[in-house]
Amino acid sequence: MSWGYYETLEINRNATDADIKKAYRRLALKFHPSKNREAGSTERFFALGEAYDVLSDLRKKATYDKFGEEGLKSGVPAEFGSGGAWSSKYVYHGNPDKTFRLFFGGDNPFADFYTQASQLQLSRLQPEVVKTQDAPIERDLNLSLEDLFHGCTKKIKISRRVMDEDGHTSSIKDKILTIEVKPGWTEGTRIIFSKEGDQGPNCIPADIVLIVRQKSHPLFMRQHNDLIYKTSISLEMALTGFSVDVQTLDGRLLSVPVNDVVHPTYEKMLTGEGMPLSQDPSQRGNLIIAFDVQFPVKLSSKSKHLIKQALGLQDN
């Protein structure tokens, strides 16, 4: 069967070099005898090799375009010579596999295809590894009452296992975690650093969770957003009035007058002098002053008499 070279590659005569290569790649893979057992595929594969051998060579292609296949194979006046020289007769080497191997660059042109197919089949046989995440790693973050009142920045160093680039070995590396403490945070606040735990080939790193723990303070106790300040006073002060000085967490000195009689459950509340609210630090809780009244260990008869007179308990 006689095939025109352009028709063989299913392209037109205006095809570029890239078009010729693309066409040969597609058709040679389609009609290669090892892939196509249909009748006529071997002859078609041979014709494809000869067509590509001619059209991919600039001189052969020019001769074929002007004089056709007969002129190419019979020899014609050379287009690129001088002195009436004639071109040599073109004879195809007759080995389409050689053309195929030269085009694809290997002795086994289908190696890549077989390798990919084998890898795909192997991957289907292997069970899929489902990665699970390790349980969170919880650590205490100890903060002073001043830290929680003003807010601050804390940095902690952790050491964790990190996978190397090969994906199989690992090493221990340090990392600094930065915590922006917000004013008003409370005991138990949780700060989560996602997937900062140890890395492994078949696991998702655990989250690192820092839990706020409030240190004790020498002057104040905290009750939600309120601050409680407890002071000792004498029985005389409790009955006659006094003034108490309180040094606040932001450095101010409050002088608080107490003119009421201080009984065992009495408290003095200062609105807006407590801890900032974490949702809105411009708002604050209260400062509650509690009193511990110190009673005398014993009284003389005269003192008892005078107290009775003062309290109106003396019999007339």
Side-chain angles (χ1 to χ4, degrees), residues 53-64:
D53 187 62
V54 172
L55 297 183
S56 63
D57 183 283
L58 182 62
R59 186 180 297 274
K60 294 175 187 175
K61 181 176 182 297
T63 303
Y64 175 74

Side-chain angles (χ1 to χ4, degrees), residues 282-294:
S282 65
Q283 302 294 317
R284 290 168 60 174
N286 302 317
L287 172 61
I288 299 172
I289 304 176
F291 302 95
D292 180 18
V293 180
Q294 302 295 310

Side-chain angles (χ1 to χ4, degrees), residues 116-160:
Q116 292 174 9
S118 299
Q119 290 176 346
L120 179 60
Q121 184 177 14
L122 181 61
S123 66
R124 289 174 177 172
L125 293 175
Q126 293 176 339
E128 183 180 357
V129 177
V130 178
K131 292 187 176 183
T132 58
Q133 187 174 23
D134 294 337
I137 302 170
E138 297 184 349
R139 295 289 184 270
D140 288 345
L141 178 64
N142 296 304
L143 299 172
S144 69
L145 193 57
E146 285 82 0
D147 291 336
L148 296 170
F149 182 88
H150 296 287
C152 63
T153 299
K154 295 289 184 180
K155 295 180 182 293
I156 63 172
K157 182 172 73 173
I158 62 170
S159 296
R160 62 174 187 154

Side-chain angles (χ1 to χ4, degrees), residues 272 274-278 280-285:
M275 292 293 292
L277 276 61
S278 59
D280 182 6
S282 65
Q283 302 294 317
R284 290 168 60 174

